[in-house]
Amino acid sequence: MQTLKNDLSVIEKVVPRGSKIIYLDYPLHLNVGDLLILKGAEQFFKENNYDVLVRRSDQTSMQYVEKTRSIPQDVTIVLHGGGNFGDLYPAHQRLREAVVTKFKNNRVIILPQTVHFKEQANLEASGRIFKQHPNLTIFCRDTTSKQILETHFCDNVVLCPDMAQSLWNIFPQQRKENIKHDRMWMIRRDIEETNLSSLGETPDPAHCVDWHDICTDRDREFMVMMHRFERLNRKIPGNLFPTTRMWYRYTDKLVARVNELFMSYQSVTTSRMHGHILCCLLKMDTRLLDNSYGKNSGYYESWTKSVPGCELVKL
């Protein structure tokens, strides 16, 4: 795990220590996996002494791009990582396309992503936009994504672990006294849902969850309030409401709560990549099931297959 954290230093080679950056598209939603990426990115920024001039969430980043005429040439634009590079989550892709179209005088980097397009035409159209930027680097989490990006999007493509790996030795690690239950099943129930029909065992309903189940009504109410504040920030000049600071503080507590829940189980079987990564960070046993298009197995084969206690279950 320390090696994986060290592997993130490839980003530092592109964005040197102490650089001025703008960080766009951070998640203001309750997918805890995306929040782990956010916490990992901020930890990396801190450890590399980046001067973060602007932070904008997924609610306000596009407006920031549209309204900002220019950015000083010595400032790097950093786009949030994850698994939304492609046509499954088009709003995020449109933001990236807008950035590389408008800010050609700035270095742009995209933090580690997994790439997936359902439609070849969408891939080719998006690739033509990205190819026009003269100083773009895309970090990616697996070799399949790297091949797609090098062919269609960018000459500067670098394999890199997920940003959450920078949280190694920042999070607690499981102790025997934490354990109260046998196994948690964390199975995603969204557009990337895994077909478990060939698994040969049935998850225990009493211990089967997704991120939505772990988050509470209070979490959802707070998120809705933040969305309202962000809508007002879009209308009122000056970014009146300090949503970034409020969201970061709240989600620090949410992630700590999730850590405690995970560590109360002996092991976790999951089709969530960040359920798997979180187990690695907490030094827990984990069985990883693939998602609908191979994102999880790609990450496992590239990075975590040598981590003690990790197993990939092929369906």
Side-chain angles (χ1 to χ4, degrees):
M1 287 295 288
Q2 185 60 51
T3 299
L4 294 183
K5 180 170 182 172
N6 293 343
D7 285 342
L8 290 167
S9 64
V10 294
I11 299 172
E12 185 187 342
K13 295 177 182 178
V14 180
V15 187
R17 293 177 65 86
S19 293
K20 297 176 183 177
I21 70 169
I22 289 172
Y23 180 35
L24 299 181
D25 206 27
Y26 76 75
L28 209 163
H29 56 254
L30 291 173
N31 180 318
V32 180
D34 287 338
L35 296 178
L36 293 173
I37 298 173
L38 167 61
K39 302 305 178 186
E42 290 288 355
Q43 182 66 28
F44 184 83
F45 299 163
K46 177 182 176 182
E47 292 179 2
N48 284 279
N49 298 313
Y50 290 162
D51 183 5
V52 187
L53 305 178
V54 174
R55 292 175 172 88
R56 290 292 183 271
S57 76
D58 51 15
Q59 303 293 305
T60 56
S61 287
M62 182 61 87
Q63 186 198 46
Y64 174 82
V65 170
E66 291 171 348
K67 291 196 170 184
T68 301
R69 287 191 172 187
S70 64
I71 294 170
Q73 197 166 352
D74 65 339
V75 175
T76 299
I77 302 171
V78 176
L79 287 149
H80 185 71
N84 57 30
F85 195 109
D87 56 6
L88 289 183
Y89 306 96
H92 300 282
Q93 194 70 2
R94 285 195 296 269
L95 171 66
R96 289 185 281 263
E97 291 171 355
V99 168
V100 299
T101 298
K102 187 168 186 177
F103 300 114
K104 289 189 170 65
N105 293 325
N106 296 90
R107 178 171 53 205
V108 175
I109 75 159
I110 298 173
L111 294 177
Q113 280 277 353
T114 302
V115 178
H116 179 69
F117 284 85
K118 292 186 297 181
E119 303 294 337
Q120 182 70 17
N122 293 338
L123 185 156
E124 292 174 358
S126 189
R128 286 192 291 270
I129 296 171
F130 278 79
K131 281 281 191 182
Q132 296 172 16
H133 196 282
N135 192 3
L136 169 67
T137 301
I138 306 178
F139 295 92
C140 63
R141 305 186 296 195
D142 61 88
T143 54
T144 300
S145 295
K146 188 173 189 289
Q147 183 177 11
I148 294 170
L149 291 167
E150 288 176 333
T151 302
H152 296 281
F153 286 84
C154 179
D155 293 331
N156 303 316
V157 181
V158 183
L159 270 175
C160 184
D162 187 86
M163 294 308 298
Q165 302 287 172
S166 68
L167 297 167
W168 175 245
N169 280 334
I170 304 299
F171 281 2
Q173 295 179 8
Q174 187 185 55
R175 302 185 305 272
K176 286 185 178 180
E177 55 265 32
N178 299 133
I179 300 171
K180 299 178 178 62
H181 311 288
D182 181 21
R183 184 196 304 176
M184 174 195 289
W185 291 82
M186 170 164 274
I187 305 300
R188 67 185 308 155
R189 299 192 294 270
D190 64 0
I191 196 171
E192 299 179 43
E193 184 174 4
T194 301
N195 183 348
L196 300 180
S197 59
S198 62
L199 183 59
E201 54 183 315
T202 304
D204 179 355
H207 298 280
C208 187
V209 297
D210 199 357
W211 294 130
H212 177 84
D213 306 301
I214 291 175
C215 295
T216 66
D217 287 342
R218 184 172 181 272
D219 298 331
R220 285 179 273 276
E221 289 166 3
F222 189 85
M223 181 191 70
V224 169
M225 182 174 68
M226 292 297 98
H227 285 184
R228 288 172 181 158
F229 285 173
E230 289 285 70
R231 283 196 293 271
L232 290 170
N233 280 338
R234 291 199 298 266
K235 295 177 181 178
I236 302 171
N239 209 40
L240 181 63
F241 292 95
T243 50
T244 296
R245 176 169 54 82
M246 297 169 70
W247 184 244
Y248 276 32
R249 287 181 179 178
Y250 188 88
T251 53
D252 281 345
K253 296 177 182 177
L254 169 59
V255 168
R257 195 174 76 226
V258 171
N259 289 348
E260 289 183 7
L261 174 65
F262 267 62
M263 290 188 295
S264 71
Y265 284 85
Q266 179 72 43
S267 66
V268 177
T269 296
T270 183
S271 57
R272 284 279 184 189
M273 177 189 290
H274 284 88
H276 168 70
I277 291 175
L278 182 56
C279 287
C280 295
L281 293 169
L282 301 175
K283 213 169 182 180
M284 294 178 58
D285 290 345
T286 172
R287 294 196 309 162
L288 179 63
L289 313 177
D290 219 350
N291 73 321
S292 61
Y293 62 86
K295 177 173 70 176
N296 296 348
S297 58
Y299 192 80
Y300 176 89
E301 294 296 339
S302 295
W303 305 109
T304 57
K305 64 181 180 181
S306 298
V307 175
C310 292
E311 175 189 358
L312 177 67
V313 178
K314 295 185 178 180
L315 301 176

